[in-house]
Amino acid sequence: MAKRSALIAGMAAALREPERSINVLAIELGKAGLIRASGRGLNAAEMTVTDASNLLISALSGGYATETAATTALVRSAGLIGGKDRDGKTTHKPPSAEAFAHLGLDHCFHEMLAAILGSFERHGGIEVNEDTQLINNVSVAITRNAIRYFCKVSFDFSDGAAWWLTYVRWKPFMEAADRRDWQNLAEEARDREGGKSTTEAVGRFVLHRIADCIRGSPMNTRPEP
C-alpha cells in the first residue's frame, strides 16, 4: 500500500491538478476522519481503497476546500438510479463481475468506487464473468448544479461496447422541499448559488492510475500533454 503523500501525488497527476490543491483536500478529509491521518516516515499511514475513494470524490465534487468533508460525505452516499447495459437496455445492476458480486441494488456511489479501485488494485482491471470480453477502461464523472450531485460510472469493454450507471444525491435543502413546485425550487436554488443556475465540476480519468498509487506501483506522476 502507498503512503498518503504518494496517493496525493498520483491523484494530482491523474486529475491534472496541482499537488498542493489535492493535499489541502486530504488535510480537510483527515480532520473529519474520511482519510487516514498521516504520520511521518515509517509511521506514515498506509492508504486504502476507502481513503482513495474519499479523496477522489472530494477532488471531483468541487466547492470550497473548507467544506469538502461535508460535501464528500454527501456525495459518497449518492444512490443508484439506473443506467444502460452493453446492449442499451435499462439496468440497475453493474456488469456481472466478481468485483461487484457484493453490491446490491441499494449500493451507493462510494461502494461502487471502492469496488472498482479494489479490483484494479488486486488484478489490474475488471474481468467480466459472462463472456470473454474484458472491461479495459473505467471512467467517473461528477456534475453538480444548484440542487443535486449527479455521478456517472462508465465501463468500456474491449469490443467497443459500454455499460454505465448513474447515481444522484440531492443537496440538503431539497430534502425539506416537500411538494413545492420545482420551478420555485430552482429559483430558490439560484438564489442560494449567488445567481448562478448551474456550475459543474467534472472529472474523467482512468482509475487504474489511482489504483497503482494505492498498491505502491511506480508510475509517472507527470501529466500527459
Side-chain angles (χ1 to χ4, degrees):
M1 288 294 190
K3 305 297 185 182
R4 191 165 84 168
S5 60
L7 177 62
I8 291 170
M11 192 167 295
L15 298 177
R16 301 184 182 184
E17 292 285 346
E19 191 172 324
R20 62 181 178 278
S21 298
I22 303 300
N23 186 55
V24 168
L25 299 178
I27 291 172
E28 292 299 322
L29 293 180
K31 293 177 183 177
L34 292 173
I35 188 172
R36 293 189 179 193
S38 183
R40 291 178 178 273
L42 295 176
N43 295 321
E46 299 281 354
M47 297 293 99
T48 67
V49 291
T50 296
D51 297 319
S53 173
N54 286 337
L55 185 57
L56 194 51
I57 290 171
S58 172
L60 294 180
S61 296
Y64 295 111
T66 53
E67 299 175 358
T68 194
T71 299
T72 299
L74 189 70
V75 177
R76 74 196 300 274
S77 67
L80 176 66
I81 61 171
K84 296 287 184 181
D85 65 17
R86 58 182 300 163
D87 296 319
K89 297 178 181 178
T90 300
T91 184
H92 284 79
K93 297 180 179 179
S96 179
E98 179 184 356
F100 309 131
H102 65 291
L103 298 178
L105 296 181
D106 59 346
H107 75 271
C108 66
F109 180 55
H110 162 70
E111 291 172 320
M112 170 55 74
L113 262 187
I116 294 169
L117 287 169
S119 182
F120 272 96
E121 179 197 359
R122 293 188 301 272
H123 309 299
I126 300 171
E127 183 173 350
V128 182
N129 299 334
E130 60 201 31
D131 54 32
T132 57
Q133 298 293 341
L134 302 180
I135 296 173
N136 61 356
N137 187 22
V138 183
S139 59
V140 175
I142 299 177
T143 304
R144 64 187 176 94
N145 59 28
I147 59 175
R148 68 179 182 178
Y149 290 90
F150 186 81
C151 313
K152 183 176 181 179
V153 181
S154 300
F155 305 92
D156 296 322
F157 293 81
S158 55
D159 64 351
W163 188 308
W164 53 268
L165 297 172
T166 54
Y167 302 77
V168 166
R169 185 64 163 91
W170 298 98
K171 292 188 176 180
F173 76 92
M174 284 293 293
E175 297 174 359
D178 200 18
R179 297 174 182 266
R180 287 179 292 170
D181 181 73
W182 191 91
Q183 184 60 40
N184 291 336
L185 290 175
E187 293 295 333
E188 179 180 344
R190 279 195 288 271
D191 291 340
R192 288 173 178 267
E193 294 290 325
K196 298 179 181 178
S197 59
T198 303
T199 57
E200 292 189 354
V202 179
R204 187 171 177 86
F205 53 90
V206 180
L207 284 168
H208 70 74
R209 298 190 67 187
I210 306 300
D212 282 345
C213 290
I214 301 171
R215 65 171 175 260
S217 298
M219 69 171 286
N220 177 16
T221 57
R222 295 183 61 185
E224 298 174 0

